[in-house]
């Protein structure tokens, strides 16, 4: 099982080090999440489609979907907090 701490720090790093908005973040998020073996590539591609049609920021939507996939509601909350904290602090 993937630890919440790992989810938080991956999304914190993604939120802090990627610039250009949600669409620019997608390849980097994909590399991190799929590269770690957390989610299969086809599932991640489906999440991208859902994140684009759902209201809100794509990075937050992806964090929610991936976190939910990995650790249910707690994972979704941790992922969203991780990806949002850098923007809120800046």
């Amino acid at each position: 099982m993937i630890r919440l701490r790992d989810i938080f720090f991956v999304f914190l790093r993604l939120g802090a080090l990627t610039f250009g908005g949600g669409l620019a973040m997608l390849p980097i998020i994909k590399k991190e999440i799929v590269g770690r073996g957390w989610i299969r590539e086809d599932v991640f591609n489906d999440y991208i489609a859902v994140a684009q049609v759902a209201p809100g920021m794509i990075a937050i939507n992806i964090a929610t979907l991936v976190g939910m996939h990995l650790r249910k509601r707690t994972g979704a909350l941790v992922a969203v907090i991780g990806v949002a904290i850098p923007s809120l602090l800046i």
Side-chain angles (χ1 to χ4, degrees):
M1 180 180 289
I2 299 162
R3 297 182 301 184
L4 291 172
R5 183 177 71 93
D6 294 336
I7 295 170
F8 175 78
F9 283 115
V10 164
F11 279 97
L12 181 71
R13 189 173 70 246
L14 289 168
L17 300 178
T18 53
F19 300 99
L23 291 175
M25 294 173 77
L26 288 178
I28 299 165
I29 294 172
K30 185 176 186 176
K31 180 181 173 191
E32 285 287 328
I33 302 304
V34 175
R36 291 173 185 267
W38 287 359
I39 293 180
R40 292 188 336 258
E41 186 172 359
D42 61 329
V43 173
F44 188 79
N45 290 336
D46 290 342
Y47 286 170
I48 290 173
V50 172
Q52 288 179 336
V53 299
M57 298 178 289
I58 292 175
I60 297 293
N61 292 343
I62 286 288
T64 303
L65 292 167
V66 170
M68 191 74 155
H69 180 91
L70 298 175
R71 293 287 304 266
K72 304 297 178 203
R73 288 183 185 186
T74 308
L77 181 64
V78 167
V80 167
I81 290 170
V83 80
I85 280 179
S87 297
L88 293 173
L89 291 177
I90 291 172

